[in-house]
Amino acid sequence: MEIRKEITARFGFIYFAAAIFGIVIVTKIFMIQNMDTDKWKGIAKDLKNNTTEIEAKRGNICADDGSILATSVPKYELRLDLAAPRIKRVYDEKADAFALEVAEFFGISKYQFKLKLDKDFKQGNRWFLIYPEEVNYNQLQRFKRLSTMNRGIFGSGLIVVTENERVMPHSELASRTIGTLNKGAFGGIHGNVGYSGIEGLMEGYLSGENGKAVKRNYSGRWINVPIIEPNDGSDVVTTLNVNLQDFANNALFRQMETSQAEWGTAIVMEVKTGEVKAIANLGRRKDGAYAETYNFALGHAGCSEPGSTFKLMSMMVAMEQGYVDTADVFDTGNGAWDYRGQTIYDSDYHHGGHGKLTMKEIFELSSNVGVAKIITKYYEGHEEDYIDRIYNFGLNKPLGLGFAGEGVPYIKYPDDKVWWGPSLAWISYGYEIKLTPLQTATFYNAVANNGRMVKPKFVKEVRRNGILEKEFKTEVINPSICSKQTLKKAQALLEGVCVDGTGKSLNNPYFAIAGKTGTAQVAYDNEGYSKGGRKNYQASFAGYFPADDPQYTCVVVIVGPKGTYYGSSVAGPVFKEIVSKVYASFMDPREKEMNQIAALPIVKTGFKDEIEITANELDLPMEAKVDSKLIKINQGTEELSAEALAVAEGLVPDVRGMGGSDALYLLENAGLKVKMKGIGRVKKQSLKAGNKIREGQTIYIDLG
């Protein structure tokens, strides 16, 4: 019983002590909330005003070789604590001198600055902005050396706020793909936030985490004392190649200037990986100059009717179902065909058309009538089958790249309200649908990649302090877009365009090209297909190279060219320049030529006796049964053949292909004065062969 009383007494004491402790805490809380309100509010305000963020350095965006495409450099905001004790003591005496120095340093009005300075001094502003624009490091150091910025004067209240500014060392090169930052994004509370392009896509890696610091005044100088160190952002390594990007940008720019088009884009993609090596976008600014105004390659404003480049998709659908083969013949008539109340025209219908053509010729000559007749013949009445197969290619869905503003394709379906009489025919050759240039490039790249469709890739890896943090693999959209048989036929069709068709002007002696020209009449935004009596055209070329071993896919689209508007004439030259430079820089354009030279050396035009001696010495197979002192050599693959080089008296001889000494001998004997430039064989002569020679006439010849 005694033990129970003792235990009860102990518990009672504990309960009593706990109750007293609770009463003390409640009383203290009441006193803090009601008796010392102003004191604690002041402490909280001071803590808030003197705590600042230390901005994390944003990661770099790099090209595929690690060179910088976008980086952050520090900029400084200059502020002043006008309530600092030393400033208060010297203000009346030194304010005029300070205002004068600041005005002269920044080139502003001393009077206006002094008015604002006086007003804020009276208000005790501890965060006075000295100059509205940020300064660089050198400007900051010069500003600190002003006489009134001595620590005993206004320097005692100087507050330097550091902020990183985004710069691109290569200026506008691929700037729309690299992207932009936006202080106002997400309500404007997150500072500089990646908003578009790769800046927005990779924001989570690039941004890092800001630190915290407390502002303290030590020996008359405000400094930030870190309490939480910032965690800088990681570097993003893109797939873009600076040299390829420069090739694409320059080629596109020259054509835009020539054609005075509204906008244009050029894309270069690596076939196997889908890595986008270059993506140039040029639009017209308000001042008329061309610049990277928008990402037309993948954005909604660049989503338009592809025109004849879509004929590849239509022919592949028909071939895949076994309806048509490349040798099948269709009658294109006179190049104009009435279908369901609308007339379909071929581009050269005014020349009378082509009549009967094989499917291969229809594709090579880009006959709208031929393609429309093929598709309507086999799909009229079951249009859904045709559209479903187009959908199976994935052309009705965005690529899902993650970029803000990615264009959404549009391919109407037969049960849509907007489907009407000639829709099937018009869609077959690229009208009444919308694709982005990058979607077209992705499909053509799949054809080049033996049917394997890969997603365009813009980022290779993420690195932190040089160490690999994350690697991005090639993503396969569709392992096989069609059968191998259809694919081989499609590849042959594209090669035929560049050998015998509308793209033959793009051919070159070093490597084969496969591709398709495209010309489409497109609408002026929402104003229809004609404005002020003028039609708006889109010229394009989509293809890959080398055709026998595809390495790169390239698509060029130019909208609104003045004058000539055909794909082969406007987009074709851009494609040709880009692929030629890519081949010369990243492949070996001389391999084919060197192999030929090793097998059969090139022999110059010249005197028959000398050439025969040389051929015998080198044991070269040569047929030279011609009765002529001068011969011209025809360069065969297995044997050299010769033909007589006629030199008529009194007429300018043709010395192209001859060595310099032989050409000089022949021209001077003909009575001409000769001016030579260069070494090697004659490439060019100023006087046309066969023209009558005038006494004392001079001929200029270029050797190379």
Side-chain angles (χ1 to χ4, degrees), residues 243-520:
N243 291 328
L244 265 66
Q245 184 68 41
D246 191 48
F247 296 159
N249 197 77
N250 289 337
L252 182 63
F253 181 81
R254 278 190 286 272
Q255 186 59 33
M256 294 291 287
E257 290 261 289
T258 300
S259 64
Q260 286 297 293
E262 293 305 312
W263 62 262
T265 183
I267 306 161
V268 181
M269 184 188 302
E270 201 172 71
V271 170
K272 299 292 188 293
T273 64
E275 291 188 2
V276 177
K277 310 308 292 185
I279 181 167
N281 293 282
L282 294 177
R284 195 191 294 276
R285 296 189 315 213
K286 290 183 179 180
D287 63 1
Y290 290 109
E292 286 246 348
T293 59
Y294 184 83
N295 199 330
F296 297 103
L298 60 87
H300 62 85
C303 200
S304 60
E305 293 168 306
S308 295
T309 55
F310 193 78
K311 290 173 182 173
L312 174 66
M313 295 73 155
S314 292
M315 293 298 92
M316 288 178 66
V317 166
M319 288 190 296
E320 184 73 355
Q321 287 197 271
Y323 288 146
V324 66
D325 204 348
T326 55
D328 293 346
V329 177
F330 297 86
D331 190 0
T332 64
N334 62 0
W337 182 49
D338 291 330
Y339 178 73
R340 296 204 171 194
Q342 298 292 316
T343 303
I344 297 170
Y345 295 98
D346 283 340
S347 60
D348 56 353
Y349 78 95
H350 49 280
H351 293 304
H354 297 285
K356 292 183 178 181
L357 297 172
T358 64
M359 191 270 268
K360 180 177 183 292
E361 291 170 332
I362 286 171
F363 191 80
E364 290 172 353
L365 297 174
S366 200
S367 170
N368 296 335
V369 172
V371 173
K373 281 192 171 184
I374 291 171
I375 297 303
T376 55
K377 177 179 178 179
Y378 297 109
Y379 292 99
E380 190 173 46
H382 46 106
E383 291 83 357
E384 294 88 352
D385 192 14
Y386 169 74
I387 298 298
D388 284 342
R389 289 180 179 273
I390 293 294
Y391 282 9
N392 287 341
F393 287 146
L395 295 171
N396 62 317
K397 299 176 183 177
L399 292 167
L401 303 171
F403 288 113
E406 181 184 348
V408 178
Y410 171 69
I411 300 176
K412 64 171 67 173
Y413 203 75
D415 59 5
D416 292 346
K417 291 182 179 179
V418 291
W419 186 281
W420 66 310
S423 285
L424 178 63
W426 283 27
I427 290 172
S428 71
Y429 56 93
Y431 282 87
E432 294 194 0
I433 61 174
K434 287 187 176 183
L435 297 177
T436 65
L438 191 57
Q439 283 177 306
T440 299
T442 302
F443 186 86
Y444 274 73
N445 194 75
V447 174
N449 198 22
N450 291 320
R452 188 169 182 258
M453 182 181 283
V454 296
K455 181 183 286 189
K457 182 177 166 186
F458 288 84
V459 177
K460 292 174 66 174
E461 56 193 30
V462 176
R463 290 185 172 270
R464 177 176 289 277
N465 299 321
I467 300 171
L468 182 66
E469 185 176 347
K470 183 176 177 64
E471 186 176 7
F472 294 87
K473 302 291 186 182
T474 297
E475 185 176 339
V476 179
I477 299 174
N478 189 341
S480 182
I481 60 172
C482 65
S483 66
K484 295 299 180 185
Q485 294 85 351
T486 298
L487 189 67
K488 292 298 180 185
K489 292 173 184 177
Q491 291 170 341
L493 288 175
L494 292 171
E495 290 180 49
V497 169
C498 299
V499 175
D500 301 311
T502 56
K504 62 185 178 183
S505 62
L506 278 65
N507 224 332
N508 67 83
Y510 301 112
F511 59 93
I513 292 171
K516 181 71 185 74
T517 57
T519 306

Side-chain angles (χ1 to χ4, degrees), residues 554-615:
C554 181
V555 169
V556 178
V557 177
I558 296 177
V559 171
K562 309 301 184 290
T564 301
Y565 54 81
Y566 290 111
S568 58
S569 304
V570 179
V574 179
F575 180 95
K576 185 174 183 178
E577 181 178 341
I578 292 172
V579 302
S580 296
K581 288 185 176 178
V582 170
Y583 193 76
S585 301
F586 296 90
M587 304 170 77
D588 187 4
R590 288 169 292 277
E591 182 180 355
K592 183 176 179 181
E593 183 180 348
M594 290 300 290
N595 289 338
Q596 183 185 25
I597 291 173
L600 200 58
I602 295 173
V603 179
K604 303 172 184 178
T605 297
F607 291 94
K608 180 184 176 183
D609 293 341
E610 295 177 359
I611 292 174
E612 285 183 331
I613 292 171
T614 303

Side-chain angles (χ1 to χ4, degrees), residues 24 28 31 46 49 51 79 84 183 265 283 342 344 373 413 426 431 488 496 498 545 571 595 617 624 627 646 661:
V24 170
K28 194 67 176 176
M31 291 174 64
D46 183 64
N49 290 341
T51 302
R79 292 186 177 271
K183 282 189 175 182
T265 183
Q342 298 292 316
I344 297 170
K373 281 192 171 184
Y413 203 75
W426 283 27
Y431 282 87
K488 292 298 180 185
C498 299
F545 67 99
N595 289 338
E617 287 289 329
D627 186 18
S661 59

Side-chain angles (χ1 to χ4, degrees), residues 183-246:
K183 282 189 175 182
F186 311 111
I189 59 173
H190 297 275
N192 283 325
V193 175
Y195 182 68
S196 66
I198 294 170
E199 294 277 20
L201 180 68
M202 304 301 291
E203 169 65 18
Y205 294 100
L206 290 165
S207 60
E209 296 178 6
N210 290 346
K212 294 284 185 183
V214 177
K215 291 180 289 201
R216 290 286 182 261
N217 193 314
Y218 288 99
S219 302
R221 178 76 70 184
W222 282 94
I223 64 171
N224 291 330
V225 180
I227 52 178
I228 301 175
E229 292 290 342
N231 188 17
D232 292 341
S234 302
D235 295 335
V236 170
V237 180
T238 72
T239 62
L240 298 175
N241 182 278
V242 174
N243 291 328
L244 265 66
Q245 184 68 41
D246 191 48

Side-chain angles (χ1 to χ4, degrees), residues 604-606 655 657-664 676 680-682 701 703:
K604 303 172 184 178
T605 297
V655 297
M658 295 180 66
S661 59
D662 289 342
L664 180 64
M676 283 196 304
R681 291 186 294 162
V682 178
I701 57 175
L703 283 65

